[in-house]
Amino acid sequence: MWLLQMFILAATRALYAVIPYFFAVCIYRLYFHPLSRYPGPLIAKLSDFYGAYYASKTTLHIKTFQDHEKFGQVIRHGPNKLVFNSVNALNDIYRNELITKSCAYLASQRAPNTYDLFSSVDRHMHQRKRKLLGPVLNDRSMRAFEGVMMDQIDTFLAGLSSACHPYSIPVNMTERLSHLAMDIMGQFAFGYPLKLQTDATYRFMTDTTANLFLNVALQLPFISKVRLSNFRWLRSLLRGKSYLHILQKMIKTRLAKGQNEKHNLLFLTDTLRVSDDEETFIEEIESEATFFLTAGSDTMSACVSAVFYYLSRNPECYKRLITEIRSTFPDSGEIKSGPRLAACSYLRACINEALRMSPPVPGTLWRQQVSGGDKNPSPLVIDGIAIPPGTHIGVNIYALQHNEAYFPEPFTFKPERFLGQSSPAEKLIKDAFAPFSLGARRCMGKSMAYLEASLILAKTLWHFDFVQVPNSKGIVGESTYWKESGKVERIDEYQINDIFAAAHDGPCLIFKPREGNIIMDVV
Ligand code: HEM
């Protein structure tokens, strides 16, 4: 009993000491903090838990957009954070040598003292890694890989074909495309046949729970100081032991094959070998591979699912795209990279418009002044605003790509807006379109992404016609966020859930072979 009394006494004393401190911090953050004059939600001014809360609900991108609508172009989105919504800020932040990734990215570190491309905040370390990875993702490598990618797409088409026979069954495109995208990445990174499309064994690899936790952690910069990477059990808890097991299997299988196998292809394992010690190397490559597989698969399935969704709801766009593809390529076998695919400007415009409305990386990519940058005599200025040292800054991709100043009628699917390039308004569209980010940390897989999306779409539209499922499954993919907010005119937007990358579902479509097309072509 006396133990309990002692405990209550100690707790009460601690509370008395903490309450004044808590109020002092609140008053400082509201009235005396260098960012106190910037507008924003009250809770965000007081705590980073505002961002973490909406990240846990996967709606942080929507909330940031709404906060811009309410508070203006520059908002305070954490005690120490500013989010901008302009092209000027986009260039000032992401093309700036004095700025690097925010320390919050260290929360994604997977093992102590092990940095992958994503978590290397240090600019020099990042440059070194990016240079190493360059040859894996350049045009030459893409050309060498295209045949393997095409084989995977053929398996995808064969799957759609089976869904047409003996009678049509609805196909959830998210499921099919996430399997296809992961199969492509398994081949691309390790030359390993994961076979998610035809065999259920490794389908757990497309689970995105770990990304949700990562996104919450990215909103809480103090977590990077806790060094989560020291807690190895967390790693297997989040990704799942089986995920790490298959990752190690892919790495070891590739190592056993040696460099000369498929000598025209460069794989992740071959390129990133920096350590001679096998165990250290496997740890390093495991970390790099986890990021790489996610970067190249979750994003791709979100992008292509979104294009299918918008086409199924915009018959004019659907007809125009089908005409472009079928008139450009008299034979399906002719669909490959090259001048003819590049000349399919409407295809590119549809992909861009889907990337604009439903960006596969929809959030604020947090950045900070490089350490020691505060000693620089001239202050950091973003879109005309002097930024106090230590501030986390960024542009929210979803909000920018829905900014009416750049994209009139932002909730309407209009691929045509990407076709012109001469007027000032058209130039603004180009400048404000940033699904792959820009500058030193821009996406390294942009060319691969356009090639993969173009091939999947062109091949599918060449072989099949499709419609939205006419029953209740047909609404899968519609925006429940906007529905719940009563914004009916925005419901037709393909819903992406912000988990740093994008979780998504649907659309559910019914396919039928294009008239006169022999199905055996694709099987
Ligand atoms: C539509 C598809 C894609 C989109 C929208 C996309 C978007 C992005 C974005 C916004 C970033 C910057 C992240 C940040 O600053 O934190 C990024 C980085 C990256 N992406 Fe992509 N990505 C896509 C596809 C791919 C593919 C297919 C690959 C190939 C493996 C890839 C590889 C990478 C890599 C390696 C980085 C890290 C670059 C660095 O930090 O230097 N991405 N991506």
Side-chain angles (χ1 to χ4, degrees):
M1 192 60 188
W2 64 268
L3 206 67
L4 183 68
Q5 282 171 342
M6 292 277 285
F7 175 75
I8 293 174
L9 196 70
T12 318
R13 284 205 176 143
L15 208 64
Y16 277 135
V18 166
I19 287 175
Y21 173 75
F22 175 76
F23 277 110
V25 169
C26 288
I27 287 168
Y28 169 73
R29 287 182 173 173
L30 285 180
Y31 301 107
F32 302 103
H33 191 282
L35 301 184
S36 57
R37 67 196 172 93
Y38 294 100
L42 178 69
I43 306 291
K45 291 178 181 177
L46 294 173
S47 165
D48 284 319
F49 279 100
Y50 178 83
Y53 172 72
Y54 286 103
S56 73
K57 289 179 71 180
T58 72
T59 55
L60 187 54
H61 61 313
I62 300 269
K63 194 64 195 160
T64 310
F65 170 78
Q66 289 174 322
D67 287 341
H68 276 302
E69 276 187 319
K70 192 166 168 189
F71 298 105
Q73 287 235 117
V74 186
I75 54 175
R76 192 173 172 201
H77 234 217
N80 238 354
K81 294 175 179 167
L82 286 182
V83 189
F84 295 77
N85 193 10
S86 69
V87 167
N88 286 345
L90 186 72
N91 286 308
D92 289 351
I93 295 174
Y94 297 97
R95 289 193 205 276
N96 193 324
E97 297 236 313
L98 293 174
I99 292 177
T100 187
K101 274 188 166 178
S102 138
C103 62
Y105 277 82
L106 290 173
S108 71
Q109 242 182 310
R110 299 184 51 76
N113 299 321
T114 303
Y115 298 86
D116 55 36
L117 193 66
F118 186 72
S119 63
S120 47
V121 168
D122 178 83
R123 295 183 77 241
H124 299 293
M125 182 196 287
H126 170 254
Q127 269 165 12
R128 261 198 325 273
K129 281 185 176 287
R130 198 166 162 116
K131 211 168 156 192
L132 276 178
L133 208 59
V136 183
L137 285 153
N138 67 17
D139 287 349
R140 190 167 164 266
S141 174
M142 273 313 101
R143 275 196 302 278
F145 182 67
E146 189 172 335
V148 184
M149 188 190 274
M150 203 65 102
D151 289 345
Q152 297 302 326
I153 296 175
D154 284 343
T155 307
F156 169 77
L157 297 177
L160 294 185
S161 189
S162 332
C164 302
H165 287 281
Y167 47 84
S168 293
I169 50 168
V171 176
N172 186 326
M173 296 308 282
T174 286
E175 280 169 24
R176 300 283 175 127
L177 289 164
S178 58
H179 299 157
L180 167 62
M182 188 60 91
D183 276 350
I184 290 178
M185 283 311 289
Q187 287 286 0
F188 184 60
F190 304 105
Y192 192 91
L194 284 166
K195 296 188 182 162
L196 267 62
Q197 296 197 84
T198 49
D199 179 344
T201 315
Y202 296 136
R203 288 190 181 160
F204 61 82
M205 290 184 76
T206 57
D207 182 83
T208 51
T209 317
N211 291 1
L212 171 68
F213 285 107
L214 168 69
N215 201 30
V216 173
L218 283 174
Q219 313 311 319
L220 300 168
F222 73 85
I223 286 204
S224 62
K225 298 199 174 75
V226 180
R227 295 275 164 169
L228 289 181
S229 51
N230 286 316
F231 304 96
R232 280 166 181 252
W233 54 270
L234 250 182
R235 205 160 33 132
S236 33
L237 187 75
L238 289 179
R239 277 287 169 197
K241 275 210 165 71
S242 340
Y243 186 96
L244 300 177
H245 179 74
I246 173 64
L247 216 56
Q248 285 173 3
K249 190 170 163 188
M250 286 197 281
I251 296 167
K252 287 181 177 164
T253 311
R254 176 66 206 144
L255 286 174
K257 278 185 183 160
Q259 300 266 353
N260 289 332
E261 179 117 344
K262 293 198 183 171
H263 55 88
N264 56 341
L265 286 183
L266 265 175
F267 297 108
L268 201 65
T269 356
D270 309 339
T271 324
L272 298 184
R273 181 179 260 296
V274 276
S275 168
D276 286 335
D277 171 50
E278 187 99 336
E279 280 315 302
T280 319
F281 172 65
I282 289 182
E283 183 117 291
E284 277 171 3
I285 195 81
E286 196 181 296
S287 163
E288 205 71 67
T290 308
F291 161 62
F292 202 72
L293 289 181
T294 308
S297 60
D298 292 359
T299 49
M300 281 317 302
S301 83
C303 163
V304 185
S305 300
V307 182
F308 274 111
Y309 172 89
Y310 289 116
L311 289 176
S312 70
R313 280 157 185 258
N314 294 277
E316 291 305 316
C317 305
Y318 173 78
K319 271 189 219 136
R320 186 168 170 183
L321 183 57
I322 277 203
T323 310
E324 179 177 87
I325 300 296
R326 294 180 186 173
S327 61
T328 308
F329 300 102
D331 190 285
S332 150
E334 294 171 22
I335 300 177
K336 54 176 183 259
S337 64
R340 273 197 289 168
L341 191 63
C344 291
S345 53
Y346 199 68
L347 172 64
R348 179 75 166 218
C350 288
I351 297 172
N352 281 349
E353 182 66 341
L355 286 171
R356 180 191 73 77
M357 289 181 74
S358 307
V361 181
T364 308
L365 302 174
W366 292 112
R367 299 292 188 256
Q368 256 182 320
Q369 210 169 356
V370 286
S371 62
D374 46 337
K375 295 184 191 89
N376 198 310
S378 46
L380 180 65
V381 176
I382 303 297
D383 202 3
I385 290 175
I387 304 294
T391 308
H392 299 252
I393 46 181
V395 172
N396 185 279
I397 296 181
Y398 180 87
L400 181 71
Q401 296 187 163
H402 286 74
N403 186 333
E404 273 194 309
Y406 309 120
F407 303 100
E409 298 180 65
F411 290 91
T412 309
F413 184 73
K414 276 193 187 174
E416 293 71 20
R417 69 173 98 230
F418 282 96
L419 291 177
Q421 278 171 7
S422 43
S423 74
E426 287 159 355
K427 191 177 170 308
L428 261 187
I429 285 178
K430 203 167 152 263
D431 293 345
F433 178 63
F436 296 96
S437 188
L438 51 157
R441 309 290 307 224
R442 71 191 178 283
C443 176
M444 285 186 80
K446 185 175 167 182
S447 312
M448 178 173 179
Y450 276 116
L451 177 66
E452 191 173 326
S454 304
L455 291 178
I456 298 171
L457 287 160
K459 280 267 180 186
T460 311
L461 290 169
W462 197 96
H463 282 283
F464 298 94
D465 292 312
F466 63 84
V467 288
Q468 189 184 335
V469 176
N471 58 30
S472 59
K473 277 193 175 171
I475 63 166
V476 177
E478 277 181 2
S479 176
T480 50
Y481 302 142
W482 291 126
K483 196 175 193 172
E484 283 158 16
S485 328
K487 302 270 188 189
V488 275
E489 71 285 3
R490 298 179 182 176
I491 288 174
D492 266 348
E493 179 162 278
Y494 183 58
Q495 176 160 318
I496 41 158
N497 305 309
D498 182 359
I499 51 165
F500 189 82
H504 51 102
D505 192 10
C508 291
L509 305 176
I510 289 188
F511 286 83
K512 78 173 168 61
R514 165 190 171 188
E515 230 146 86
N517 179 34
I518 304 159
I519 303 222
M520 288 311 285
D521 266 352
V522 292
V523 185

